[in-house]
Amino acid sequence: MASSLSFTSHLVNFPISDPKLTNRNPTFQSLKLPLPSIHCGIRELRQRIDTIKNIQKVTEAMKLVAAAKIRRAQEAVISTRPFAETLVDMLYNITQQLQLEDVDIPLTEIRPVKKVALVVIAGERGLCGGFNNGIFKKAETRMAELTNLGIGYTLISVGKKSNAYFRRRKGEFVDRFVEGESFPNAKEAQVIADDVFSLFISEEVDKVELLYTKFVSLIKSDPVIHTLLPLTSKGEVFDVNGRSVDVDEDEFFRLTTKGGKLTVVRDHLRVKKGEFLPNLEFEQDPAQILDALMPLYLNSQILRALQESFASELAARMNAMSSAMDNAVELRRDLSIAYNRERQAKITGEILEIVAGADALT
C-alpha cells in the first residue's frame, strides 16, 4: 500500500563568507548579502515587482520633466542677477549723492522697527525632497526671533505649498496669499511689489524681508533672508546676519547627455560690476528719477527671488526623483532575487515530492 508523503520547502538566506569564492566570481561581489528578508508568496512578489516597475517609470518621467525645465530656469536666474545687482548699486549711488539735498525718499527711510513684513516664497508642488520644509523652518526660526525681540510681524505667502502651510497654522496673520504661475514673471512679481509698497509707505510695517531659497547648484540650495525695504545703505543685499547673498561668480551648471544618461558640466560666469562716478549731475528732477527706479527695484528683487526659488525647486525635485528611481531599481532587484528563490524552492519541493512518490511505489 503506497503511503502519501508531503514535503515543505523553506528558503534560508546563507551569506557567503568565503573570500576566495567572492574573488573568483564577481557576481557574488555585486550582491549585497545577506539580502533583506521578504516574507511573501510568489503571486504577491510578482505584484510587488510590477508595482515597483510602474513607480520607477513615473519617477524617471518626473526627473526628465524637471531636468528639461531647469535649463530655462537656470538661464533666467543667471540673466537676472547682474541687472538686479547693478540696479541696487545705482540706487545706492544716487541716494548717496542726494543725502545733502532736500529730497524725500520714502523707501530709504530707516525708522524704529515695530513690525516686519515677511514675504515667504515656497514651491507650487511637492515631491521635491526637503525644499519646502527648509524654507518653512527658516520662516519659523525668524518668526520666533521676532517674537523674542517683542517685534510684530505679518506674512505674505507665495506659492501653493506656502499657502496650505500657513492656512493650517492658527493664530498667524497672513496679509495676502499669492499663487504662482508655471514660470515666474514680472506680472506675478508686481502683485507682491504693490502689496509690499503699500504696507511700507502707509507705515503699517517698518521693514520688509524676503524669505526664499537661493539657487546655488543642481545639488545645493540655501534658504536665505534678505532685507527688501528699507534700501540698505551699503548698496548690497544682505541677510539678517550681515552676510551678503550676492555672488561675484556663478557656477553655471549645464545639463547634457553622456552615454544615454544625464550629466552635469560646470562653467564659470563672471559678473562684472561697473563703477559709478563720484559726482553725478541730474538733468531731471532727482525725485522723478527715484520715483521711476524704486518700483523697478522692488519688481526686480522680487522677480529674482521667485526665479531663484523656482530653480531651486526644480533642482530639488530632479534630485528627489533621481533618488526615488535608484531606490526603485534596488528594491526591484531585491524582489526579483526573492521571487526567483521562492520559485526555485517551490520547483525543488515539487521535484522532491515526485521522486518520493515514485520511490514509494517501487
Side-chain angles (χ1 to χ4, degrees):
M1 183 176 180
S3 60
S4 60
L5 299 176
S6 63
F7 295 87
T8 303
S9 60
H10 297 277
L11 178 63
V12 182
N13 294 331
F14 293 98
I16 299 175
S17 59
D18 189 3
K20 296 181 180 180
L21 182 59
T22 56
N23 293 333
R24 189 182 307 135
N25 193 348
T27 305
F28 293 112
Q29 296 179 357
S30 62
L31 297 178
K32 298 179 181 179
L33 297 174
L35 293 173
S37 59
I38 302 175
H39 303 284
C40 292
I42 295 179
R43 181 178 298 176
E44 290 79 4
L45 284 173
R46 190 184 297 114
Q47 293 176 353
R48 291 183 63 181
I49 290 173
D50 293 338
T51 302
I52 297 300
K53 186 177 180 180
N54 295 332
I55 294 176
Q56 180 184 348
K57 291 180 179 179
V58 173
T59 54
E60 185 177 5
M62 294 184 66
K63 175 187 175 182
L64 294 177
V65 170
K69 290 182 178 180
I70 199 172
R71 173 63 178 175
R72 179 181 171 187
Q74 281 186 111
E75 292 178 350
V77 169
I78 298 300
S79 61
T80 304
R81 279 178 179 173
F83 173 77
E85 294 170 4
T86 306
L87 181 60
V88 172
D89 291 337
M90 180 181 295
L91 280 174
Y92 165 63
N93 282 271
I94 293 176
T95 54
Q96 189 177 25
Q97 293 289 326
L98 297 178
Q99 286 180 356
L100 301 178
E101 300 184 16
D102 187 14
V103 178
D104 185 18
I105 311 174
L107 296 184
T108 60
E109 179 185 358
I110 299 177
R111 49 182 182 259
V113 178
K114 298 179 182 178
K115 193 173 184 180
V116 179
L118 302 177
V119 183
V120 183
I121 302 175
E124 295 293 326
R125 298 178 182 176
L127 297 177
C128 50
F131 169 78
N132 291 314
N133 289 333
I135 195 63
F136 293 152
K137 289 181 181 178
K138 195 75 172 179
E140 293 286 351
T141 303
R142 184 56 178 162
M143 289 187 291
E145 291 176 355
L146 294 174
T147 302
N148 293 333
L149 294 174
I151 299 175
Y153 60 86
T154 183
L155 297 170
I156 299 177
S157 176
V158 182
K160 293 180 180 179
K161 289 298 178 180
S162 179
N163 297 344
Y165 178 80
F166 288 111
R167 281 195 177 103
R168 290 194 301 266
R169 286 179 56 88
K170 296 181 179 179
E172 297 293 347
F173 178 74
V174 180
D175 182 76
R176 187 182 183 91
F177 292 99
V178 180
E179 291 189 1
E181 303 291 338
S182 57
F183 276 88
N185 50 43
K187 183 179 178 181
E188 179 184 354
Q190 189 62 46
V191 173
I192 305 172
D194 292 340
D195 196 12
V196 166
F197 181 82
S198 62
L199 288 174
F200 190 80
I201 292 297
S202 62
E203 297 187 1
E204 295 183 25
V205 297
D206 304 305
K207 188 179 181 182
V208 179
E209 294 179 352
L210 281 176
L211 289 82
Y212 67 97
T213 306
K214 181 179 176 62
F215 178 78
V216 180
S217 67
L218 290 177
I219 58 175
K220 183 181 179 182
S221 57
D222 297 327
V224 297
I225 303 175
H226 84 248
T227 300
L228 182 64
L229 291 174
L231 183 62
T232 174
S233 60
K234 295 183 179 180
E236 295 181 0
V237 178
F238 288 84
D239 62 6
V240 292
N241 297 320
R243 295 174 299 185
S244 175
V245 298
D246 290 333
V247 289
D248 293 331
E249 183 178 355
D250 286 306
E251 279 193 333
F252 197 10
F253 288 74
R254 299 180 180 274
L255 285 175
T256 182
T257 55
K258 184 178 181 181
K261 296 183 179 180
L262 290 174
T263 57
V264 177
V265 179
R266 291 186 176 93
D267 292 336
H268 293 281
L269 178 66
R270 288 281 183 177
V271 179
K272 298 181 180 179
K273 294 186 177 180
E275 297 181 356
F276 294 93
L277 296 176
N279 296 322
L280 299 176
E281 295 182 0
F282 301 99
E283 295 183 359
Q284 295 179 337
D285 185 7
Q288 295 181 358
I289 298 176
L290 290 176
D291 289 341
L293 288 180
M294 284 301 183
L296 185 60
Y297 160 76
L298 289 177
N299 195 301
S300 64
Q301 292 297 323
I302 295 174
L303 178 59
R304 173 188 174 182
L306 292 173
Q307 291 173 342
E308 297 257 5
S309 179
F310 183 67
S312 301
E313 179 186 357
L314 290 177
R317 181 171 293 111
M318 187 179 68
N319 292 328
M321 292 302 101
S322 178
S323 299
M325 186 178 67
D326 294 340
N327 293 335
V329 171
E330 184 178 358
L331 182 58
R332 182 182 174 187
R333 179 186 66 86
D334 294 340
L335 290 174
S336 298
I337 293 174
Y339 172 77
N340 293 332
R341 286 184 174 181
E342 288 285 348
R343 189 164 59 90
Q344 184 179 4
K346 183 177 181 181
I347 294 173
T348 303
E350 291 177 353
I351 293 175
L352 290 176
E353 290 181 357
I354 294 174
V355 173
D359 291 340
L361 292 176
T362 57

